Amino acid sequence: MNKKLSKKYLIIAPSWLGDLIMSQSLLKELKKQDPNCTIDVYAPAYTMPILDRMEEITGKHINPFDHGTFDLKERFKEGRKLAKNGYDSVIVLPNSLKSALIALFSKVKDRRGFKGESRYFILNNIRCNKNDFPLMVQRYVALAFDKKIVKTAKDLPEFAYPKLTVNKPDEDKLKELGLDFSRPALVLGCGANYGPAKLWPVEYFAKISSLWIKQGGSVIGLGSKKDIPTVQQIFNNIDEESKPFFTDIAGKTNLTEALDIVGQCTAAVCNDSGLMHTVAAADIPQVCIFGSTSTNYTPPLSDKAICVESDEPCHPCFNRTCKFGHYNCLKKIAPEYVFEKLLSLLDKKRD
């Protein structure tokens, strides 16, 4: 009897950090089905350090295209270059036509994905029923299965959540940043590249910070360079007694340094963002704030998370900015309420 050969997969990954992290559930499912399979991932350069923390991945290929760039000629070259690796299946996770063209030009026989932008003749193993898989992670994991067997989310077996490898932070880096974790640390995920409709007010983050510090903790303001003004505003809004216990490290870490720092923290409060998904994959308790978006689509994949979202009649709108200009979906989520949820989460963890 011939031994069944393990498959070789190419994953065309999403560009957003949170979506990329959620896609690890698909990788885990592929490995569960075939432990000896090979999984290569095609993703933007900035995500490479995070991919290094996914143990399921065999190889990485950098997606060189900026967001919105078409460049058919270069995409053809990329596809032909990838074709040399002899993949059995290519799974396209983004919805765009551009991402599917890479799969087409790779000449892989099994090209999987959801319909997206006019991709009928590009993906030959296509699903046209997104609504049957409400959560983004369900759509990702469904692509590991035969569509004739797993037809809806109800048919999916239990699947594993993302779990990134977290290392002990570099001591020299901690000294450089002024971090020592001698007090229980609360990390703030106060940014969101999506837009202001995801951003909980800075004065609310400041209130949460003061409440945490008054109970003997410390607070870490984490984020990219884009988040530097936001973290500075939070620091400026906390009371003077609390300021010595607030450390602003926005823009001072790369992705994996941030991940390892998060792994040393006691808890987090995050907007719906890539950092929220990073915290979830680091297995740290958190309260997550949802403004215009919904937990019915991209919740944190963690049993240590509490999600708080609006009951405004216009929620969720999924807009980047509030069409009414009031942002009540965020402003009506009081910091005292979020802090209460945070304490209840930590009490539950102790139990």
Side-chain angles (χ1 to χ4, degrees):
M1 184 175 179
N2 293 330
K3 184 179 179 181
K4 184 179 178 182
L5 293 176
S6 291
K7 285 191 173 182
K8 192 170 186 179
Y9 292 98
L10 173 65
I11 310 297
I12 308 295
S15 295
W16 293 101
L17 177 61
D19 296 353
L20 178 75
I21 290 173
M22 284 189 287
S23 74
Q24 191 186 14
S25 288
L26 165 63
L27 310 186
K28 287 181 175 293
E29 183 58 39
L30 293 173
K31 280 289 187 180
K32 179 181 176 182
Q33 294 178 14
D34 182 0
N36 296 317
C37 73
T38 297
I39 302 175
D40 288 358
V41 177
Y42 184 77
Y46 89 93
T47 67
M48 293 294 127
I50 287 293
L51 295 181
D52 286 336
R53 301 300 183 90
M54 297 184 183
E55 60 183 15
E56 302 79 14
I57 293 174
T58 308
K60 302 174 296 179
H61 302 283
I62 293 177
N63 177 349
F65 301 103
D66 293 332
H67 183 70
T69 301
F70 192 78
D71 202 335
L72 183 62
K73 183 178 179 181
E74 288 303 313
R75 287 182 186 275
F76 177 80
K77 289 181 180 179
E78 283 290 296
R80 300 309 300 134
K81 182 171 67 176
L82 292 167
K84 297 176 183 178
N85 295 306
Y87 297 108
D88 298 294
S89 295
V90 55
I91 302 177
V92 183
L93 299 184
N95 290 319
S96 68
L97 172 65
K98 300 185 295 292
S99 58
L101 286 172
I102 298 290
L104 177 67
F105 297 145
S106 71
K107 291 191 175 182
V108 176
K109 290 183 178 180
D110 177 37
R111 303 187 297 276
R112 306 182 197 178
F114 278 84
K115 185 177 72 172
E117 294 180 340
S118 304
R119 309 197 296 187
Y120 286 110
F121 302 106
I122 296 176
L123 301 179
N124 57 10
N125 187 351
I126 193 168
R127 287 178 177 264
C128 301
N129 58 333
K130 280 184 180 178
N131 292 338
D132 290 329
F133 299 91
L135 297 178
M136 181 179 286
V137 68
Q138 292 171 342
R139 296 175 189 177
Y140 289 166
V141 175
L143 294 171
F145 296 92
D146 186 326
K147 63 184 177 182
K148 294 179 182 178
I149 298 174
V150 174
K151 299 178 181 179
T152 72
K154 293 180 181 178
D155 301 322
L156 283 171
E158 185 175 342
F159 55 84
Y161 285 162
K163 188 172 179 59
L164 299 173
T165 300
V166 179
N167 297 331
K168 185 178 180 181
D170 179 76
E171 291 295 334
D172 290 337
K173 186 65 179 182
L174 292 181
K175 289 178 182 178
E176 175 190 329
L177 297 172
L179 297 173
D180 62 13
F181 297 103
S182 58
R183 296 161 66 105
L186 176 71
V187 65
L188 305 182
C190 54
N193 289 329
Y194 187 78
K198 275 191 177 185
L199 300 177
W200 204 41
V202 292
E203 59 269 25
Y204 291 9
F205 274 111
K207 181 65 175 179
I208 285 283
S209 299
S210 294
L211 290 170
W212 182 265
I213 289 168
K214 282 180 170 58
Q215 293 208 358
S218 63
V219 175
I220 300 172
L222 186 60
S224 67
K225 290 181 180 179
K226 292 180 181 178
D227 302 316
I228 291 174
T230 303
V231 176
Q232 186 60 55
Q233 288 178 51
I234 294 170
F235 177 78
N236 292 340
N237 274 275
I238 65 175
D239 58 83
E240 292 300 321
E241 292 180 356
S242 298
K243 285 183 177 179
F245 304 103
F246 186 104
T247 306
D248 176 0
I249 62 171
K252 298 177 182 178
T253 62
N254 59 35
L255 287 178
T256 48
E257 288 170 343
L259 169 64
D260 293 339
I261 288 168
V262 164
Q264 301 301 307
C265 292
T266 300
V269 175
C270 296
N271 294 323
D272 174 18
S273 62
L275 185 57
M276 176 190 77
H277 292 288
T278 303
V279 171
D283 204 31
I284 300 301
Q286 66 175 317
V287 178
C288 313
I289 313 294
F290 281 75
S292 70
T293 52
S294 170
T295 57
N296 292 326
Y297 184 47
T298 54
L301 302 177
S302 169
D303 58 4
K304 296 180 180 179
I306 292 178
C307 297
V308 180
E309 58 186 319
S310 173
D311 58 3
E312 288 291 295
C314 55
H315 171 86
C317 69
F318 293 99
N319 291 332
R320 293 174 182 267
T321 58
C322 178
K323 64 181 179 181
F324 301 112
H326 54 53
Y327 295 95
N328 283 344
C329 62
L330 291 161
K331 290 180 179 177
K332 289 189 176 181
I333 299 174
E336 292 82 4
Y337 176 73
V338 171
F339 192 66
E340 179 183 314
K341 291 293 183 183
L342 180 63
L343 294 183
S344 69
L345 179 64
L346 295 176
D347 286 343
K348 182 180 178 181
K349 182 187 174 187
R350 290 189 201 90
D351 295 339

